[in-house]
Amino acid sequence: MLKGRHLIDPMDFTLEELDEIFELAGDIIDHPVKYSDSMKGKLLATLFYEPSTRTRFSFEAAMLRLGGQVIGFSEPGSSSVSKGESVADTIKTVGCYADIAVMRHPKEGAPKVASMYSEIPVINAGDGGHQHPTQTLTDLLTIKTEKGRLSDLTIGFCGDLKFGRTVHSLIKALSRYQGIKIVLISPEELMIPDYIRNEILINNNIEFKEAERIEDEIGSLDILYMTRVQKERFFNEDDYIRLKDRFILDKEKMELAHADMMVLHPLPRVNEIDYEIDEDPRAMYFKQAKYGMYARMALMLKLLGVK
Ligand code: CP
């Protein structure tokens, strides 16, 4: 039963609960009109303490397309956060007005704290370099719909694996499916955190390898998940400049990939995928962004127990 629950970590839901969400998302994709009034009278609060395009807009579009309404801020300086109000007091107040809340915050764990004080479901829309569970729902829905399965896949993650919260969340989620192999492609400075390597990959006996060049690995992949180097998480700008263009996916590298390899990217893109790849039918990242809206529609319907 998902009604009344929070989504803070990608492991908060069982595989069966995830399947329920994917099934509902598929039905919304096939029959959007059927759902156009289903959230009538419901209010979503979007609390974004960090910038966002896809996550905030897709949540807002999701609620509006379901017939509900939206309040919130995209700039915490415009709210009483600027006067020093805590996350706990903010969510208690928002719960007086809205039915469900989605929060992005630069501090790891802030949405978890909010959920502990909240009377309404809280959804983590990304907390620092930690987790991004609704991006994971988006990624899983994209893979399941486009590949037809979530098991027996070789997935390469490339770029900033240290700070990339979408990578951390997706690896956690994938660790529960059978036959998953993972290839981690990053510079040494941006390697996957030890807690993901030890607690998720090693503890769950997931087959994985670490590599430094896309062209050495791309031919073995079913999915290549590209990420940008996360400028906002660096303490030293020189390090960012040195690392930011280390991996660029271009036509030459795509020629080494299988005809049905899928390129995913949570976006925003900076330089890591050449614009000419957008025309390649294997480039799935904008379709992925659209799946994000359907995944979030299904998620909110489930958390609010709307039939
Ligand atoms: N993928 C993602 O989280 O994008 P935004 O930062 O634009 O929300």
Side-chain angles (χ1 to χ4, degrees), residues 48-258:
F48 278 69
Y49 295 72
E50 255 195 356
S52 167
T53 297
R54 275 142 296 272
T55 311
R56 186 168 68 86
F57 288 1
S58 65
F59 263 111
E60 295 186 356
M63 187 49 112
L64 294 170
R65 284 179 184 274
L66 291 169
Q69 291 181 293
V70 181
I71 55 171
F73 58 76
S74 56
E75 176 47 67
S78 68
S79 75
S80 286
V81 171
S82 63
K83 302 173 199 161
E85 188 164 47
S86 67
V87 160
D89 285 358
T90 300
I91 197 71
K92 279 189 201 171
T93 307
V94 167
C96 300
Y97 313 131
D99 301 289
I100 187 164
V102 53
M103 176 181 286
R104 170 169 290 186
H105 204 289
K107 280 199 188 140
E108 301 185 358
K112 172 77 185 165
V113 171
S115 72
M116 289 158 58
Y117 290 91
S118 181
E119 303 260 310
I120 59 173
V122 174
I123 300 168
N124 178 4
D127 58 329
H130 191 215
Q131 301 293 333
H132 193 345
T134 66
Q135 181 65 47
T136 301
L137 288 183
T138 300
D139 300 339
L140 295 177
L141 179 64
T142 307
I143 297 169
K144 191 175 165 73
T145 311
E146 297 293 330
K147 283 274 178 203
R149 65 187 193 279
L150 287 167
S151 54
D152 301 313
L153 291 166
T154 301
I155 303 167
F157 289 90
C158 178
D160 184 348
L161 309 187
K162 179 178 180 183
F163 296 115
R165 58 194 174 196
T166 64
V167 171
H168 306 161
S169 285
L170 185 54
I171 290 177
K172 266 180 125 175
L174 287 169
S175 71
R176 296 193 290 185
Y177 294 93
Q178 296 298 313
I180 294 295
K181 294 181 193 164
I182 288 184
V183 182
L184 301 166
I185 309 164
S186 71
E188 204 178 335
E189 297 90 330
L190 298 177
M191 282 165 82
I192 202 85
D194 283 344
Y195 84 93
I196 298 283
R197 186 182 296 104
N198 297 331
E199 291 168 31
I200 308 297
L201 295 171
I202 295 175
N203 275 1
N204 291 299
N205 291 319
I206 307 291
E207 193 177 324
F208 76 99
K209 69 187 278 197
E210 297 187 87
E212 289 189 2
R213 281 162 39 98
I214 296 177
E215 47 274 56
D216 294 342
E217 307 301 330
I218 196 168
S220 70
L221 303 178
D222 298 304
I223 297 168
L224 175 58
Y225 193 98
M226 294 295 294
T227 61
R228 78 186 161 96
V229 175
Q230 306 255 313
K231 184 180 183 186
E232 65 276 29
R233 316 262 177 240
F234 276 75
F235 291 112
N236 177 337
E237 190 164 3
D238 291 344
D239 285 346
Y240 170 71
I241 291 167
R242 186 167 51 79
L243 294 168
K244 73 184 173 68
D245 292 329
R246 183 71 67 87
F247 299 106
I248 298 179
L249 183 64
D250 56 18
K251 265 191 174 165
E252 212 176 306
K253 295 189 186 89
M254 285 297 281
E255 277 169 18
L256 303 170
H258 289 307

